[in-house]
Amino acid sequence: MALRPRLSLLHLLEVLALLSSLVIVKGESPYKFYTWTVTYGIIYPLGVPQQVILINGQFPGPKLDVLTNDNIILNLINKLDQPFLMTWNGIKQRKNSWQDGVLGTNCPIPPNSNFTYKFQTKDQIGTYNYFPSTAFHKAAGGFGAINVYARPRIPIPYLLPVEDFTLLIGDWFKTNHKTLQQRLDSGGVLSFPDGMLINGQTQTTFTGDQGKTYMIRISNVGLSSTFNFRIQGHTMKVVEVEGSHVMQTDYDSLDVHVGQSLSLLVTLNQSPKDYYIVASTRFVRSNLSVTALLRYSNSGVPASGDMPPLPPGELVWSMRQARTFRWNLTANAARPNPQGSFHYGKINTTKSFVFSNSAPLINGKQRYAVNGVSYVNSETPLKLADHFNITGVFSTSAIQSFPSNSPATVATSVVKASLHDFLEIVFQNNEKSVQSWHLDGYDFWVVGFGSGQWTPAKRPLYNLVDALTRHTTQVYPNSWTAILVSLDNQGMWNMRSAIWERQYLGQQFYLKVWDPVQSLANEYNPPDNLLLCGKAIGRHT
């Protein structure tokens, strides 16, 4: 009988290594490559010539349609006359705040220069957007949509729609962004917006077939205004909010606050004609509206009749609607395991914060503050200062955990927390305007809304079972909003007002999520193309 040759240990290890490498190559997520050139251009969004920011000649910018876990390699070329950064609103940048694109993490891209962003849509699905984070560039455009689709084998909790329509909606100013910035720098405030746009226009049309269902992806890309969205003669079924599948509920109209995004399904089940799509500002004395058309492909009848009205009331109606958005506990999101398998309501909080916004005058100029501290940017990004151990750039003691009656001050403020902390954060709003708060690098459970002053006695009102998880939440006038957040993403993360005037004038800070043990399992190394500025010039990664 012939003997089979024995496999040496070395040969066996070589075979196993080869098989392992084959598995890795086969399982690696796809790479998608983009080159974007940022320029100025003259267009007529509200009927008058205006300088706007274009990306590859487009306003709004190109749409990023990607899948869960795609690797994005995006070379951004800055042809403006000012330094520039792009931030990816709602993309978590897992272990990778190096790519977040805000002034606390990145040096801005100089004019006539470029930077290649490298990030992954790790374990995410949903509707997001991008926009400029430098100066007051957001008032000039430079924004666009990010749609993250589920991988083919991961089920979604609704029938696949025929097509997606992406609607970027927001208020708009005719005034040049540099003039608006100078007005704020001199201590003034912004006037009321001049109008509203849908996808950069005051009139646009979306066409579909009778009897079919379409997904409409909505983002509020404006500077300051909540809007209410409605479609004449049609109900809207909300299915996803900022990366979470929600309990599917039909609505006649929806309030969408600054910085927020959601996806809804609309079935074209009415008579074939054109129908009005309307977005109108809320919580302001003078309402602005913008209209579009939903056109049935077999329509021969123009839109007619009254525009669908705004819902009655504002604060009570809107807060009640906000409480109807619930997590779908049995549906997955980007992974096949159910969202509800993470029982957030049974985790003990390790730290609690109450952050109160205010609008103080400091040195005779209008500023905005958090717990009495108005944020000022540093020439050295905080992430770089932290990495290179550069002292004197930011303060970890400026903002206290709870509001006080101390006079307002300015500081480059950072709140420290530990990796794997579980935070309770209450946003207290004692002003007469709606606030909108965003946290980079995370989503969080919005567990409670209430009027008046928050106290610990309000905790029994929290939804600890199926609260919605998202990255941006509203805080109603003279009210509070409570969130819970699991700090599982190490880095330096911006917590800011999504209302851009307030962000620019200090209503923000950074959350440093830190672990004393340096490990690539917790955070990636700085990228090879890291830009250096301020006190970080000359440092080596």
Side-chain angles (χ1 to χ4, degrees):
M1 183 176 67
L3 296 177
R4 296 181 180 178
R6 296 182 63 185
L7 205 61
S8 70
L9 178 60
L10 180 60
H11 190 193
L12 179 61
L13 291 175
E14 289 174 346
V15 170
L16 291 174
L18 177 61
L19 291 174
S20 175
S21 66
L22 290 174
V23 170
I24 291 173
V25 170
K26 183 178 180 181
E28 187 174 15
S29 297
Y31 282 76
K32 293 189 175 179
F33 297 87
Y34 306 87
T35 298
W36 286 1
T37 301
V38 180
T39 61
Y40 288 127
I42 302 296
I43 61 173
Y44 296 72
L46 291 178
V48 298
Q50 184 173 0
Q51 182 190 63
V52 302
I53 292 175
L54 307 175
I55 301 176
N56 291 353
Q58 300 177 40
F59 174 79
K63 183 169 57 174
L64 282 179
D65 283 334
V66 297
L67 295 181
T68 301
N69 291 353
D70 276 356
N71 293 283
I72 312 301
I73 311 297
L74 193 149
N75 181 28
L76 194 146
I77 303 167
N78 177 19
K79 292 294 185 180
L80 305 184
D81 57 355
Q82 295 178 316
F84 186 83
L85 277 176
M86 190 75 78
T87 191
W88 318 95
N89 198 46
I91 302 301
K92 293 181 183 178
Q93 306 290 1
R94 297 289 303 172
K95 304 188 292 186
N96 200 20
S97 62
W98 304 105
Q99 306 291 336
D100 200 26
V102 290
L103 287 170
T105 59
N106 295 87
C107 296
I109 306 165
N112 296 311
S113 186
N114 74 296
F115 179 76
T116 300
Y117 290 92
K118 301 175 183 178
F119 60 91
Q120 187 180 25
T121 52
K122 178 68 174 173
D123 292 337
Q124 287 190 262
I125 54 99
T127 300
Y128 307 97
N129 58 84
Y130 60 85
F131 60 81
S133 64
T134 37
F136 216 63
H137 291 138
K138 191 181 181 187
F143 54 77
I146 306 174
N147 298 329
V148 185
Y149 294 87
R151 290 171 289 174
R153 293 185 179 180
I154 304 298
I156 56 176
Y158 49 85
L159 294 177
L160 198 65
V162 174
E163 188 181 348
D164 284 12
F165 298 135
T166 298
L167 278 65
L168 303 174
I169 306 175
D171 51 22
W172 189 257
F173 290 83
K174 296 177 182 178
T175 307
N176 184 275
H177 69 97
K178 292 182 181 178
T179 303
L180 295 176
Q181 183 178 352
Q182 290 168 0
R183 188 178 300 167
L184 296 178
D185 289 341
S186 65
V189 296
L190 296 189
S191 59
F192 194 67
D194 296 301
M196 294 187 68
L197 302 176
I198 297 179
N199 292 351
Q201 304 174 71
T202 55
Q203 293 182 332
T204 188
T205 300
F206 304 92
T207 302
D209 297 332
Q210 188 177 22
K212 295 182 179 179
T213 298
Y214 294 83
M215 174 172 279
I216 298 180
R217 297 176 178 267
I218 299 172
S219 288
N220 186 333
V221 295
L223 295 181
S224 60
S225 303
T226 294
F227 64 77
N228 181 270
F229 181 84
R230 50 222 188 266
I231 302 175
Q232 184 184 32
H234 294 74
T235 58
M236 304 170 289
K237 187 183 298 292
V238 176
V239 294
E240 175 264 332
V241 176
E242 294 167 16
S244 289
H245 288 137
V246 297
M247 297 301 295
Q248 296 175 18
T249 304
D250 290 329
Y251 298 90
D252 294 320
S253 67
L254 292 160
D255 276 357
V256 185
H257 303 271
V258 181
Q260 294 185 341
S261 299
L262 53 82
S263 300
L264 51 91
L265 298 178
V266 175
T267 300
L268 275 59
N269 54 8
Q270 301 299 308
S271 301
K273 55 172 289 188
D274 296 355
Y275 294 88
Y276 293 118
I277 297 172
V278 187
S280 305
T281 54
R282 297 271 272 169
F283 300 97
V284 288
R285 292 180 180 177
S286 301
N287 283 331
L288 296 172
S289 290
V290 63
T291 61
L293 291 178
L294 175 62
R295 173 167 293 162
Y296 282 51
S297 59
N298 58 341
S299 167
V301 181
S304 60
D306 294 332
M307 296 283 182
L310 281 166
E314 282 189 328
L315 192 153
V316 173
W317 184 95
S318 189
M319 190 180 292
R320 284 177 177 171
Q321 181 180 84
R323 293 188 180 117
T324 66
F325 293 125
R326 299 296 181 98
W327 222 17
N328 187 334
L329 299 182
T330 60
N332 60 276
R335 291 183 174 187
N337 51 300
Q339 295 176 144
S341 60
F342 189 89
H343 301 288
Y344 71 92
K346 296 182 179 180
I347 302 174
N348 293 326
T349 55
T350 53
K351 292 181 180 178
S352 293
F353 297 91
V354 176
F355 294 127
S356 178
N357 51 270
S358 59
L361 291 179
I362 299 178
N363 296 326
K365 292 184 177 182
Q366 180 66 66
R367 298 287 301 182
Y368 298 98
V370 184
N371 287 2
V373 180
S374 186
Y375 183 89
V376 289
N377 283 305
S378 166
E379 291 185 0
T380 307
L382 316 188
K383 183 63 182 170
L384 272 60
D386 194 47
H387 178 74
F388 293 119
N389 295 314
I390 302 171
T391 59
V393 172
F394 60 83
S395 170
T396 58
S397 60
I399 287 188
Q400 302 303 307
S401 300
F402 297 88
S404 69
N405 294 321
S406 301
T409 59
V410 297
T412 306
S413 42
V414 172
V415 172
K416 289 179 64 175
S418 297
L419 187 65
H420 306 306
D421 272 351
F422 193 77
L423 303 187
E424 175 195 42
I425 296 175
V426 177
F427 298 112
Q428 179 67 53
N429 178 18
N430 297 324
E431 299 183 63
K432 296 179 180 179
S433 59
V434 176
Q435 302 296 310
S436 189
W437 277 98
H438 169 85
L439 175 59
D440 279 351
Y442 287 92
D443 50 22
F444 45 73
W445 290 271
V446 185
V447 294
F449 299 96
S451 299
Q453 292 292 315
W454 179 88
T455 67
K458 305 292 186 181
R459 287 178 176 139
L461 302 176
Y462 289 180
N463 176 359
L464 299 180
V465 178
D466 61 353
L468 175 64
T469 177
R470 64 187 314 167
H471 60 66
T472 303
T473 186
Q474 70 273 27
V475 191
Y476 292 102
N478 297 305
S479 299
W480 57 268
T481 297
I483 69 170
L484 299 176
V485 56
S486 177
L487 297 188
D488 60 354
N489 193 13
Q490 184 166 310
M492 187 77 73
W493 304 108
N494 190 211
M495 181 171 278
R496 61 176 177 263
S497 173
I499 299 170
W500 216 239
E501 173 185 5
R502 301 184 76 101
Q503 177 275 155
Y504 181 78
L505 291 179
Q507 192 173 317
Q508 61 169 311
F509 59 88
Y510 281 79
L511 180 66
K512 178 185 174 182
V513 182
W514 180 74
D515 189 284
V517 179
Q518 292 189 357
S519 169
L520 291 177
N522 293 339
E523 186 173 17
Y524 298 143
N525 286 328
D528 295 336
N529 64 337
L530 182 69
L531 296 178
L532 300 178
C533 56
K535 295 181 179 180
I537 292 175
R539 305 287 177 139
H540 298 284
T541 58

